[in-house]
């Protein structure tokens, strides 16, 4: 991640209309906010994308078992991600999500290994989701598309 963990998490929390002083969160405030389900899910999402193996594994396991959310470590997710109803979400490897993306329940985002597109003379199989996109309930985005 280019930004620090708490800074990225602060952007995610501001996107959920949580009031923060100076738009930043500290660990004490975060512990208090973890009572909310949407904050817990975003926190676990960011932990699962960390490059620390044991933390990443435990966060991914908890997301999968408790909420049915599977997020690959190889995907890229921008700041300000929002899950209004965090249930049964799958984001496959190589998928790229921009900033301020909202993902509803039952969404699957992943590549299609039979179809590809060229990007800078390389084959791309995964979807690219731009900034400020809302993905509705039970949507499937598969293949090399740009949204």
């Amino acid at each position: 991640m280019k930004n620090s963990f708490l800074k990225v998490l602060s952007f995610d929390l501001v996107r959920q209309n949580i009031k923060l002083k100076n738009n930043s969160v500290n660990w004490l405030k975060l512990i208090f906010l973890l009572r909310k389900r949407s904050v817990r899910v975003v926190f676990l999402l960011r932990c699962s994308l960390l490059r620390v193996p044991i933390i990443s594994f435990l966060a991914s396991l908890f997301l999968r078992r408790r909420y049915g959310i599977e997020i690959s470590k190889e995907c890229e997710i921008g700041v300000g991600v929002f899950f209004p109803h965090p249930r049964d979400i799958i984001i496959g490897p190589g998928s790229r999500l921009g900033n301020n993306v909202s993902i509803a329940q039952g969404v699957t985002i992943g590549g299609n290994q039979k179809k590809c597109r060229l990007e800078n003379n390389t084959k791309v199989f995964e979807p690219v989701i731009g900034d400020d996109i809302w993905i509705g309930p039970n949507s499937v985005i598969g293949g090399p598309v740009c949204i």
Side-chain angles (χ1 to χ4, degrees):
M1 295 173 107
K2 295 177 185 172
N3 298 322
S4 72
F5 181 78
L6 286 178
K7 189 173 183 180
V8 171
L9 201 55
S10 297
F11 283 114
D12 295 337
L13 296 179
V14 167
R15 180 82 166 42
Q16 296 182 24
N17 293 326
I18 294 175
K19 306 291 185 222
L20 300 174
K21 287 184 181 179
N22 302 325
N23 287 339
S24 64
V25 68
N26 59 26
W27 287 104
L28 187 62
K29 175 84 172 175
L30 181 62
I31 291 170
F32 175 75
L33 289 173
L34 284 174
R35 294 180 301 147
K36 293 185 173 187
R37 179 185 62 187
S38 59
V39 174
R40 260 193 322 269
V41 168
V42 170
F43 175 75
L44 289 169
L45 163 84
R46 294 299 176 190
C47 286
S48 70
L49 295 176
L50 287 175
R51 300 294 181 221
V52 181
I54 189 70
I55 293 174
S56 176
F57 172 76
L58 291 174
S60 296
L61 184 67
F62 192 80
L63 277 174
R64 193 175 316 120
R65 295 272 170 97
R66 179 73 188 246
Y67 300 105
I69 297 174
E70 292 184 36
I71 298 177
S72 172
K73 288 183 257 185
E74 289 85 30
C75 70
E76 297 175 24
I77 299 178
V79 297
V81 68
F82 179 54
F83 298 102
H85 303 284
R87 297 293 299 166
D88 305 323
I89 297 169
I90 298 171
I91 301 175
S95 301
R96 290 182 284 175
L97 280 66
N99 298 328
N100 298 324
V101 174
S102 298
I103 301 174
Q105 69 274 12
V107 171
T108 300
I109 302 171
N112 183 342
Q113 298 306 316
K114 294 182 181 177
K115 297 179 183 176
C116 66
R117 65 181 163 81
L118 289 176
E119 184 176 287
N120 298 330
N121 293 328
T122 60
K123 289 184 178 182
V124 178
F125 297 95
E126 299 83 14
V128 176
I129 311 295
D131 295 342
D132 303 315
I133 301 292
W134 179 76
I135 302 171
N138 300 320
S139 299
V140 176
I141 300 172
V145 296
C146 292
I147 299 175

